[in-house]
């Protein structure tokens, strides 16, 4: 990267028009970009391969920057440069950090930030490539397909950052049971690109190829001069020929997919516990009302339901569960329409009351479900998270699952997650977005049709099983169990499932499997499925444990992650580069970190010294500070300090986000303050050679350092913004891969003139 000097001056006399600043064209060329995804037996392995040439006559730092599904584990990364292979290695996170902390704190290492969006994580690294040389980046990630509402969805994100001559996405699905349907969806599956997609469906196999031309890569909806930017979603389901499901076995391992569908519906008893505290104000409460009305409409006549709202008090629609008759639903809907936000948040009281209602309504052969929706921390009544968890656990006593929906980023998601997992449920984040009502409704649909209760899966001739007992099985989902085979004599390997169906105890076993259900497959893959599932479940289990038990589970998860080379929250991928270059350390971020705080919206706490202060007629040579950007949703503030004697950039940039992070960047110095602690290292702030990366939520800010040594100036650029962008300010967006960035939408009164 090289930059021409920026040409601008700022003065305070009139409103600026608009300013763009161009940097010299870089000439590196992604001449080939392939994504190859192979799904065998519902386990997907995807390889992204990018080949880049440095067409310049000097060496260049070349970036590899892709996004992968959150659910996946990266398992391999390699670079090929000049006949050499550089393999990433997976190490224990602590070890990797100890080893590289020194370099990191010196600001030398370019650690890799994986910012968390709704469904995607980011992988980024870079390497210096000599003049006229090439580099190939190859990233592999793996994931077990999850069945939701009767389908699997394989998500492929394509964003090579420039139009690519040889661009290909190849998906191959291989399924012994047979593929019942396959569809291609997502933002890239549009009319403009329709003829670039081919889909072949042949019973047990299916192929999807997506080969857009360079022109097509610029013309699709979300694509532009930077080429493709969007998702391809392969949606499919498989045939289910046996009610016992699909059992695959290798000499050492087995995996069992269980998803019977020909079962009677089971009436359910559901209680909705809805937070109506003051923080739900505005759009959130509105979307909650809309979602509730839809959900109430979808109740079946033989369902029973309860509805209550809470702040520091409880507001019953009715004190007990009632049948979902037309009349009752109508009355509940009118209650839902009138939900108002007010007060504080007493989660403890509300969940206990919901539990009491369900306990009072115990009925044989029906499925009870408690759904809590909240957007904040407990602030009234019992507020200690552990005490709430312990109270709730005692009250529910494993009788039914508790699902917690955390609305927005102000919730203590870890608290909700732990509470759900302790009570056989799961926690889900509802993203504050225009489709929040659909997210709520979508979640409800997943649990709307319970088919089985108390599902116990048993296996003979096997050990080291993943979870085998499930409180519920919902129509459209799937239970997956994997384990090690202890007896190679297939006669001795057997499975059966016992559960409660609508009106009776049912048993699924080989005897009523209409066809042979076991299939012998290669060991390696099935072993990885087992490892993947085991690690995922251990990471979940770890959440609810503490002390030595937690450590033991972590240790086991770590050992497996290392053995199978999975990048999990316990491990890091260390990317060693050619001699003379820094080592990159990639971490997988944890879901559930609160990312911004509500207080930011109400009273933006401008960090002292970084506030907006525009002085008309300021004396020359004195620093002036400008508010460059503000995003109320992310809670991001960017301020720039300008020395009016010096043209071409800022002396200092101040960034404030997450309500706790204060980052001050000068050309030489980065200081990071998180809460009260000052540090020189933060996962969210990464110093590279001529850039400083700051990740705040799913926003990425890059501060470019330019100019001569001794006179370096800073220029902040938004390189990535959330799709729902509420930001405002003069900070421009990165316009093209390497051409221009711009100052847009001026808010402060000053003149920008080009000289
Ligand atoms: C995709 O990967 C699979 C498995 O490694 C391989 O067999 C296949 O040839 C690859 N397909 C393409 C188009 O490269
Ligand atoms: C190649 O480098 C030389 C200096 O080393 C420079 O003068 C020349 O303009 C460069 N050529 C190109 C095409 O960039
Ligand atoms: C379960 O879902 C399938 C389609 O996915 C549907 O045909 C069936 O009727 C559903 N069963 C119940 C009880 O809802
Ligand atoms: C699973 O459920 C069965 C039957 O209800 C029970 O006997 C067994 O102890 C349970 N196993 C675990 C690990 O909870
Ligand atoms: C089963 O067979 C595999 C390969 O043939 C072997 O590695 C394994 O040790 C055997 N397991 C047992 C329990 O005999
Ligand atoms: C399967 O067969 C067994 C008897 O062998 C029976 O008890 C059980 O109910 C059957 N299960 C189903 C789901 O039909």
């Amino acid at each position: 990267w090289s930059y021409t000097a920026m040409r601008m001056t700022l003065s305070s006399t009139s409103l600026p028009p608009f300013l763009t600043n161009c940097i010299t064209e870089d000439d590196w060329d992604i001449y080939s970009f392939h994504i190859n995804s192979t799904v065998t037996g519902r386990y997907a392995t995807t390889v992204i391969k990018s080949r880049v040439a440095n067409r310049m006559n000097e060496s260049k730092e070349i970036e590899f920057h892709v996004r992968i599904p959150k659910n996946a584990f990266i398992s391999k990364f390699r670079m090929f440069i000049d006949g050499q292979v550089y393999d990433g290695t997976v190490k224990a996170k602590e070890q990797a950090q100890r080893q590289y902390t020194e370099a990191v704190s010196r600001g030398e290492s370019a650690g890799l930030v994986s910012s968390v969006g709704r469904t995607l994580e980011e992988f980024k690294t870079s390497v210096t490539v000599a003049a006229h040389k090439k580099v190939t980046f190859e990233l592999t990630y793996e994931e077990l397909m999850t069945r939701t509402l009767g389908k699997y969805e394989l998500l492929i994100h394509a964003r090579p950052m420039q139009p690519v001559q040889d661009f290909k996405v190849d998906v191959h699905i291989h399924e012994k049971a047979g593929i019942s349907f396959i569809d291609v969806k997502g933002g890239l599956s549009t009319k403009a690109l329709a003829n670039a997609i081919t889909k072949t469906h042949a019973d047990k196999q299916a192929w999807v190829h997506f080969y857009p031309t360079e022109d097509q890569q610029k013309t699709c909806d979300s694509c532009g001069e930077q080429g493709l930017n969007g998702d391809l979603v392969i949606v499919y389901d498989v045939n289910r020929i046996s009610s016992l499901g699909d059992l695959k076995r290798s000499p050492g391992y087995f995996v069992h997919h269980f998803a019977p569908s020909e079962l009677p519906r089971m009436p359910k008893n559901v209680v909705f516990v809805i937070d109506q505290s003051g923080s739900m104000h505005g759009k959130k409460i509105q979307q909650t009302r809309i979602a509730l009305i839809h959900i109430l409409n979808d109740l079946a006549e033989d369902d029973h339901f309860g509805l209550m709202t809470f702040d520091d008090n409880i507001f019953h629609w009715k004190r007990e569960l009632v049948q979902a008759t037309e009349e009752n639903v109508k009355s509940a809907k009118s209650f839902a329409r009138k939900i108002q936000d007010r007060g504080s948040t007493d989660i403890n009281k509300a969940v206990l009351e919901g539990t009491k209602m369900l306990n009072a309504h115990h009925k044989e052969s029906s499925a009870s479900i408690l759904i809590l929706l909240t957007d904040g921390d407990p602030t009234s009544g019992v507020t200690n998270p552990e005490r709430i968890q312990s109270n709730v656990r005692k009250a529910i006593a494993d009788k039914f699952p508790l699902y917690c929906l955390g609305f927005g980023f102000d919730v203590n998601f870890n608290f909700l997650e732990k509470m759900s997992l302790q009570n056989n449920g799961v926690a889900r984040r509802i993203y504050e977005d225009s489709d929040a009502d659909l997210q709520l409704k979508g979640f409800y649909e997943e649990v709307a049709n319970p088919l089985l209760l108390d599902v116990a899966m048993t296996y003979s001739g096997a050990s080291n099983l993943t979870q085998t007992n499930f409180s519920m099985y919902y129509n459209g989902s799937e239970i997956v169990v994997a384990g090690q085979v202890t007896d190679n004599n297939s006669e001795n390997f057997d499975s059966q499932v016992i559960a409660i169906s609508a009106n009776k105890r049912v048993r699924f076993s080989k005897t009523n499997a209409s066809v042979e259900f076991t299939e012998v497959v290669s060991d390696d893959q099935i072993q990885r499925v087992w490892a993947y599932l085991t690690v995922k479940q251990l990471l979940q289990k770890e959440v609810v444990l503490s002390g030595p038990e937690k450590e033991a589970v972590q240790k086991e998860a770590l050992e497996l992650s290392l053995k199978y080379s999975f990048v999990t929250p316990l491990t890091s991928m260390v990317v060693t580069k050619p001699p003379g270059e820094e080592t990159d350390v990639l971490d997988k971020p944890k879901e559930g970190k609160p990312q911004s705080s509500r207080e930011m919206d109400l009273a933006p706490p401008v960090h002292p010294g970084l506030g907006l202060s525009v002085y008309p007629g300021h004396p020359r040579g004195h620093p002036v500070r400008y508010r460059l950007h503000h995003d109320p949703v992310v809670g991001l503030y960017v301020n720039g300090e300008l020395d009016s004697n010096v043209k071409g950039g800022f002396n200092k940039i101040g960034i404030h986000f997450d309500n706790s992070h204060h980052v001050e960047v000068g050309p030489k110095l980065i200081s990071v303050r998180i809460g009260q602690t000052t540090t020189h290292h933060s996962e969210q702030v990464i110093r590279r050679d001529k850039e400083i990366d700051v990740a705040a939520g799913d926003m990425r800010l890059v501060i470019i350092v330019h100019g001569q040594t001794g006179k370096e100036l800073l220029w902040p650029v938004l390189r990535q913004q959330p799709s729902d962008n509420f930001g405002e300010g003069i900070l421009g967006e990165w316009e093209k891969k390497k051409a221009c960035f711009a100052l847009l939408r001026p808010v402060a009164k000053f003149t920008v003139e080009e000289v």
Side-chain angles (χ1 to χ4, degrees):
W1 300 77
S2 66
Y3 308 94
T4 58
M6 260 174 283
R7 291 153 190 269
M8 65 158 208
T9 57
L10 301 183
S11 73
S12 60
T13 45
S14 64
L15 273 170
F18 178 86
L19 177 136
T20 53
N21 178 74
C22 292
I23 56 177
T24 50
E25 188 86 359
D26 248 348
D27 201 6
W28 50 274
D29 175 24
I30 303 174
Y31 62 95
S32 163
F33 195 93
H34 290 181
I35 302 177
N36 179 1
S37 197
T38 311
V39 192
T40 309
R42 304 164 219 184
Y43 192 72
T45 305
T46 304
V47 180
I48 304 180
K49 197 183 252 190
S50 171
R51 294 185 169 90
V52 191
N54 177 10
R55 307 264 187 232
M56 303 191 67
N57 70 0
E58 55 184 328
S59 61
K60 276 284 141 213
E61 189 179 14
I62 289 178
E63 215 178 72
F64 176 66
H65 181 180
V66 293
R67 294 181 188 175
I68 66 163
K70 261 188 192 179
N71 214 22
F73 289 148
I74 287 173
S75 57
K76 200 173 186 182
F77 176 71
R78 13 182 34 181
M79 294 188 290
F80 302 81
I81 309 162
D82 217 8
Q84 282 282 337
V85 186
Y86 299 89
D87 273 304
T89 47
V90 174
K91 298 198 173 173
K93 191 173 190 167
E94 280 179 12
Q95 186 201 346
Q97 267 172 3
R98 253 200 323 276
Q99 201 166 340
Y100 299 102
T101 292
E102 214 186 309
V104 168
S105 66
R106 283 201 307 265
E108 283 173 6
S109 160
L112 289 153
V113 177
S114 298
S115 72
V116 183
R118 238 198 241 188
T119 50
L120 295 167
E121 275 169 12
E122 204 164 63
F123 178 93
K124 197 177 102 175
T125 190
S126 65
V127 68
T128 303
V129 176
H132 305 295
K133 293 283 186 198
K134 292 174 179 171
V135 55
T136 299
F137 299 100
E138 196 181 290
L139 177 76
T140 306
Y141 61 86
E142 303 176 25
E143 68 202 296
L144 181 65
M145 305 304 299
T146 342
R147 186 164 183 257
T148 311
L149 300 172
K151 58 192 188 302
Y152 304 97
E153 292 189 342
L154 177 71
L155 171 68
I156 290 173
H157 189 77
R159 187 170 173 250
M161 311 296 274
Q162 56 173 260
V164 177
Q165 195 189 356
D166 170 30
F167 179 94
K168 285 181 176 173
V169 177
D170 293 285
V171 178
H172 180 204
I173 300 172
H174 180 82
E175 179 63 52
K176 276 274 173 62
I179 295 161
S180 60
F181 76 90
I182 176 160
D183 262 330
V184 183
K185 298 204 166 138
L188 295 178
S189 176
T190 57
K191 259 205 186 120
L193 292 172
N195 69 355
I197 300 176
T198 56
K199 187 182 85 179
T200 317
H201 178 183
D203 186 27
K204 292 181 186 349
Q205 298 192 65
W207 293 265
V208 174
H209 302 296
F210 175 53
Y211 299 165
T213 63
E214 256 179 288
D215 278 343
Q216 281 177 318
Q217 292 170 40
K218 294 182 211 164
T219 52
C220 64
D221 285 352
S222 51
C223 313
E225 285 303 311
Q226 278 190 309
L228 286 176
N229 179 8
D231 298 330
L232 207 59
V233 183
I234 318 296
V235 184
Y236 74 101
D237 199 14
V238 306
N239 295 328
R240 295 176 199 277
I241 37 192
S242 149
S243 61
L244 181 58
D246 190 64
L247 253 153
K248 289 190 196 63
R249 197 170 51 80
S250 73
Y253 293 84
F254 78 89
V255 57
H256 184 187
H257 286 87
F258 176 72
S261 59
E262 276 154 22
L263 291 165
R265 214 190 82 83
M266 185 179 272
K268 64 179 180 293
N269 317 305
V270 57
V271 172
F272 302 97
V273 178
I274 309 293
D275 187 345
Q276 61 166 21
S277 62
S279 52
M280 290 286 287
H281 180 73
K283 215 167 168 189
K284 283 200 236 173
I285 200 94
Q286 217 174 317
Q287 289 170 319
T288 302
R289 285 188 214 117
I290 295 172
L292 261 179
I293 289 164
H294 281 295
I295 289 170
L296 292 167
N297 267 335
D298 287 349
L299 289 168
E301 178 107 37
D302 59 353
D303 287 339
H304 286 72
F305 72 107
L307 170 61
M308 57 188 251
T309 60
F310 72 98
D311 40 55
D312 38 343
N313 269 305
I314 285 175
F315 304 85
H316 282 280
W317 164 61
K318 285 198 168 26
R319 287 196 171 269
E320 57 290 309
L321 275 77
V322 299
Q323 198 180 340
T325 60
E326 207 179 315
E327 200 178 320
N328 283 337
V329 167
K330 203 169 145 204
S331 150
K333 283 198 290 190
S334 98
F335 178 84
R337 266 186 213 105
K338 292 189 201 116
I339 298 174
Q340 290 300 332
D341 55 281
R342 39 156 284 181
S344 50
T345 316
D346 190 343
I347 291 180
N348 184 65
K349 185 155 56 170
V351 176
L352 292 183
E353 180 62 24
T355 303
K356 202 169 111 197
M357 286 169 75
L358 273 173
N359 281 339
H361 184 85
H362 183 71
K363 273 188 148 168
E364 287 300 321
S365 297
S366 64
S368 294
I369 302 168
L370 184 55
I371 299 179
L372 165 71
L373 171 76
T374 179
D375 77 330
D377 290 343
T379 55
S380 99
V382 178
T383 54
N384 177 312
E386 273 97 47
R387 265 188 66 204
I388 301 175
Q389 282 159 351
S390 140
N391 291 345
V392 168
R393 199 173 180 178
K394 257 187 241 147
I396 294 183
D398 283 331
K399 288 196 288 288
F400 46 80
L402 165 67
Y403 296 102
C404 295
L405 305 177
F407 203 150
F409 276 101
D410 293 342
V411 288
N412 181 344
F413 194 78
N414 293 337
F415 158 69
L416 294 182
E417 184 181 35
K418 189 166 173 183
M419 193 158 71
S420 306
L421 291 172
Q422 284 174 332
N423 295 287
N424 303 301
V426 290
R428 203 51 89 71
R429 191 189 291 289
I430 303 297
Y431 291 82
E432 240 178 293
D433 210 336
S434 53
D435 69 343
D437 52 330
L438 298 178
Q439 296 175 52
L440 286 168
K441 187 165 173 279
F443 170 79
Y444 169 75
E445 280 166 3
E446 286 177 39
V447 299
N449 294 302
L451 297 184
L452 295 173
L453 285 183
D454 298 335
V455 185
M457 323 267 293
T458 53
Y459 301 88
S460 57
S463 69
N464 279 333
L465 302 171
T466 59
Q467 189 184 341
T468 51
N469 283 10
F470 302 84
S471 63
M472 298 262 181
Y473 161 69
Y474 298 102
N475 201 16
S477 72
E478 181 169 68
I479 289 174
V480 187
V481 178
Q484 270 169 302
V485 175
T486 49
D487 190 336
N488 277 344
N489 182 351
S490 64
E491 295 291 303
N492 296 335
F493 178 74
D494 201 5
S495 161
Q496 77 169 5
V497 181
I498 293 171
I500 294 168
S501 169
N503 38 24
K504 55 179 189 297
R505 238 170 104 82
V506 286
R507 189 153 66 90
F508 301 85
S509 67
K510 243 192 224 174
T511 49
N512 20 29
S514 53
V515 285
E516 181 53 54
F517 64 93
T518 31
E519 163 197 338
V520 176
V521 293
S522 91
D523 196 56
D524 180 55
Q525 199 224 340
I526 224 155
Q527 185 171 349
R528 296 195 75 83
V529 178
W530 169 80
Y532 175 97
L533 200 56
T534 305
V535 171
K536 282 264 158 172
Q537 291 180 355
L538 287 171
L539 290 172
Q540 239 179 27
K541 205 160 147 191
E542 180 240 327
V543 171
V544 301
L545 295 175
S546 59
E549 279 178 288
K550 190 187 186 87
E551 276 166 32
V553 166
Q554 272 181 344
K555 185 160 170 280
E556 196 184 341
L558 173 62
E559 277 164 11
L560 279 174
S561 304
L562 291 172
K563 179 166 180 205
Y564 292 90
S565 165
F566 289 143
V567 179
T568 67
L570 302 173
T571 53
S572 297
M573 170 79 79
V574 175
V575 181
T576 307
K577 298 182 190 176
E581 284 196 65
E582 316 123 357
T583 297
D584 277 354
V585 181
L586 163 80
D587 294 335
K588 188 177 175 73
K590 262 197 180 141
E591 173 68 72
K593 233 196 281 173
Q595 301 207 345
S596 70
S597 170
R598 181 185 335 137
E599 276 113 64
M600 291 296 289
D601 293 353
L602 306 177
V606 173
H607 180 45
L610 297 177
L612 170 68
S613 46
V614 180
Y615 318 110
H618 59 272
R620 289 189 79 79
H622 280 226
V624 189
R625 297 185 190 104
Y626 295 95
R627 166 70 44 80
L628 301 177
H629 192 80
H630 172 217
D631 187 320
V633 173
V634 185
L636 173 75
Y637 294 82
V638 183
N639 302 307
E641 188 181 284
L642 210 61
D643 183 330
S644 53
N645 274 340
V646 187
K647 298 185 176 89
F650 297 91
N651 297 332
K652 207 187 266 177
I653 304 288
I655 302 155
H656 177 103
F657 63 97
D658 274 11
N659 198 27
S660 60
H661 285 61
H662 306 279
V663 182
E664 238 186 78
V665 178
K668 290 274 173 292
L669 186 80
I670 305 176
S671 99
V672 182
R673 192 157 63 79
I674 302 169
Q676 299 304 317
T677 318
T678 301
T679 157
H680 289 281
H681 169 59
S682 157
E683 277 188 352
Q684 279 145 304
V685 184
I686 304 296
R687 168 115 210 194
R688 316 174 67 81
D689 181 27
K690 286 285 180 194
E691 302 181 357
I692 296 149
D693 257 41
V694 182
D698 50 4
M699 159 114 42
R700 255 186 75 218
L701 190 76
V702 176
I703 298 168
I704 291 161
V705 184
H706 74 110
Q708 267 79 52
T709 314
K711 252 220 161 128
E712 285 176 321
L713 291 167
L714 304 169
W715 194 264
V717 176
L718 279 183
R719 202 174 272 183
Q720 179 188 313
Q721 271 180 290
S723 51
D724 211 357
N725 172 23
F726 295 102
E728 54 183 29
I730 59 170
L731 202 58
E733 230 185 304
W734 191 258
E735 284 241 308
K736 285 179 195 158
K737 181 190 124 247
K738 53 211 166 173
C740 292
F741 45 89
L743 279 176
L744 303 168
R745 285 174 293 158
V747 287
K749 287 199 171 190
F750 58 85
T751 304
V752 180
E753 38 177 80
E754 291 189 57
V755 281

